[in-house]
Amino acid sequence: MSGRLVCVDRWNPQREIIEEAGSLLRRGGLVAFPTETVYGLGANGLDPSAVERIFEAKGRPSDNPLILHVASSETVHSLAVTDERALLLMEAFWPGPLTLVLRSRSSVPDVTRGGLDTVALRMPSHPVALALISASGVPVAAPSANRSGRPSPTEASVVLGDLGEGVDLVLDGGSTEVGVESTVLDVSDSMPVLLRPGGIPLEALEEVLGRVSLPEGTLALRRSPGMRYRHYAPSVPVRLWPETGPWPVVDSELSVGYMGLRREAVTVAYRIHFDSPEHYAAGLFSGLRYLEEAGVDVIVADFPGTGGIALAIRDRLSRASGLQ
Ligand code: TXA
Ligand code: MG
């Protein structure tokens, strides 16, 4: 069933489809599936050869660890060491777009955690993801289902375009809602560290935890291997338009694709307008891909302020533009 795409009902995922996909995962196959953030490329996270297939399919460096997706909080105990703080966070934000980095138990293979002594865990809220993980009976290792370095997929067709024959089955559950990936929070040590801003805003974490630190420079690189690599980049240059800055394209000959929140009258070849930061986040990756395919010379993207989901938008845009 190479490269097969199957439509599945988001709210009432069809039993036969989910059972088949779950059994494929148990047998070492790769199944792409929707989560509330982006599409994931799933494999049995406890089967080293299945996990290796993920790295091959994505062209992903082997020292960049994967997130294990679970369908219940109880599963976590056999995979990682939890403390009260972790339990509090799970209670507050699961199921949902928060990934917790915890000290790993030996049940998690080295290849899944990129040789680290920690493991990343998340319980997604998307009904198709939850049904699939339950049906598989295993923790599902799943990075975003794009070629390494490309914008993450928020639609099933993009997964096939990027990974083609590398994936055995794609469950098409429509567009994903949040549009940017989960927030990654390291709680393996005494001070919680935000490794990647995402679907759960920093402010919400701070309400539960008090202070959360933001890693800078080498600490960030050491603690989150994923931060080392160029990410989310379309094949055309991306220029950022800060809230108070000037329009960033000087050359009037260039064909420009604009995406963002502002309505200012700038002449562009394509314009994608979002009416809230949440909609911007939801359409960010598909917008980048759309403008790339439209054949513009340069993409200009609004670079919003920092509150709420905007922190995640800024992070993804900085990387897409090569700033980080
Ligand atoms: O929303 C999401 O999180 C999506 C969906 C599919 O769940 N998944 C996702 O996975 O974005 P991926 O592999 O594209 O990003 C996972 C990030 C990477 O930056 C990786 O380095 C980091 O999490 N990570 C994974 N395990 C880690 C660990 N043990 N310590 C530190 N960072 C870790
Ligand atoms: Mg990714």
Side-chain angles (χ1 to χ4, degrees):
M1 55 159 76
S2 203
R4 213 152 64 94
L5 190 138
V6 176
C7 288
V8 53
D9 184 332
R10 186 200 149 102
W11 295 112
N12 292 298
Q14 296 86 331
R15 264 253 311 273
E16 329 73 70
I17 299 176
I18 295 295
E19 288 297 330
E20 187 188 351
S23 129
L24 190 51
L25 283 176
R26 272 196 305 281
R27 284 181 279 127
L30 295 189
V31 177
F33 60 97
T35 78
E36 72 280 21
T37 57
V38 300
Y39 274 76
L41 178 62
N44 176 354
L46 302 182
D47 174 350
S49 41
V51 171
E52 262 154 33
R53 287 191 60 204
I54 292 184
F55 286 94
E56 273 164 41
K58 277 188 60 105
R60 177 169 172 124
S62 62
D63 63 351
N64 192 2
L66 305 176
I67 298 172
L68 282 182
H69 295 67
V70 297
S72 81
S73 302
E74 286 72 57
T75 323
V76 168
H77 303 293
S78 64
L79 304 169
V81 181
T82 52
D83 57 11
E84 249 179 68
R85 197 179 44 180
L87 297 178
L88 203 66
L89 288 162
M90 289 179 208
E91 180 68 32
F93 298 109
W94 282 12
L98 175 66
T99 294
L100 296 175
V101 172
L102 295 165
R103 275 197 292 129
S104 184
R105 295 200 189 276
S106 54
S107 53
V108 181
D110 254 15
V111 53
T112 304
R113 47 181 151 118
L116 299 176
D117 55 8
T118 54
V119 60
L121 293 157
R122 127 165 163 88
M123 179 171 163
S125 63
H126 197 292
V128 172
L130 286 173
L132 174 66
I133 301 161
S134 296
S136 76
V138 294
V140 176
S144 49
N146 49 285
R147 287 286 305 168
S148 200
R150 299 269 302 144
S152 299
T154 53
E155 281 152 48
S157 56
V158 171
V159 177
L160 270 191
D162 254 29
L163 303 178
E165 298 295 297
V167 51
D168 299 313
L169 177 65
V170 181
L171 298 179
D172 184 349
S175 299
T176 61
E177 272 181 310
V178 179
V180 289
E181 301 88 340
S182 62
T183 301
V184 180
L185 183 71
D186 187 340
V187 282
S188 66
D189 224 336
S190 53
M191 184 59 176
V193 181
L194 182 76
L195 296 181
R196 179 177 73 182
I200 298 287
L202 177 61
E203 295 86 343
L205 296 177
E206 284 176 334
E207 256 173 50
V208 172
L209 289 176
R211 207 164 89 80
V212 173
S213 74
L214 305 175
E216 279 166 29
T218 50
L219 178 67
L221 294 185
R222 188 168 56 77
R223 290 188 70 160
S224 190
M227 301 307 208
R228 280 185 213 129
Y229 306 105
R230 181 128 195 258
H231 264 117
Y232 315 117
S235 58
V236 285
V238 177
R239 295 209 195 136
L240 308 181
W241 189 15
E243 277 184 331
T244 53
W247 176 250
V249 180
V250 187
D251 184 349
S252 58
E253 300 287 288
L254 292 178
S255 148
V256 177
Y258 162 75
M259 57 193 275
L261 298 160
R262 283 180 279 193
R263 286 188 184 279
E264 272 139 76
V266 177
T267 309
V268 293
Y270 293 87
R271 178 189 301 271
I272 304 177
H273 179 260
F274 301 106
D275 54 17
S276 69
E278 284 68 29
H279 287 142
Y280 193 3
L284 181 66
F285 291 135
S286 58
L288 288 174
R289 287 185 184 257
Y290 178 85
L291 294 174
E292 173 187 44
E293 270 160 38
V296 298
D297 299 317
V298 57
I299 296 172
V300 171
D302 261 350
F303 198 56
T306 52
I309 195 79
L311 191 63
I313 299 176
R314 287 169 68 95
D315 172 77
R316 305 308 186 269
L317 283 175
S318 300
R319 291 168 200 284
S321 71
L323 266 192
Q324 272 182 36

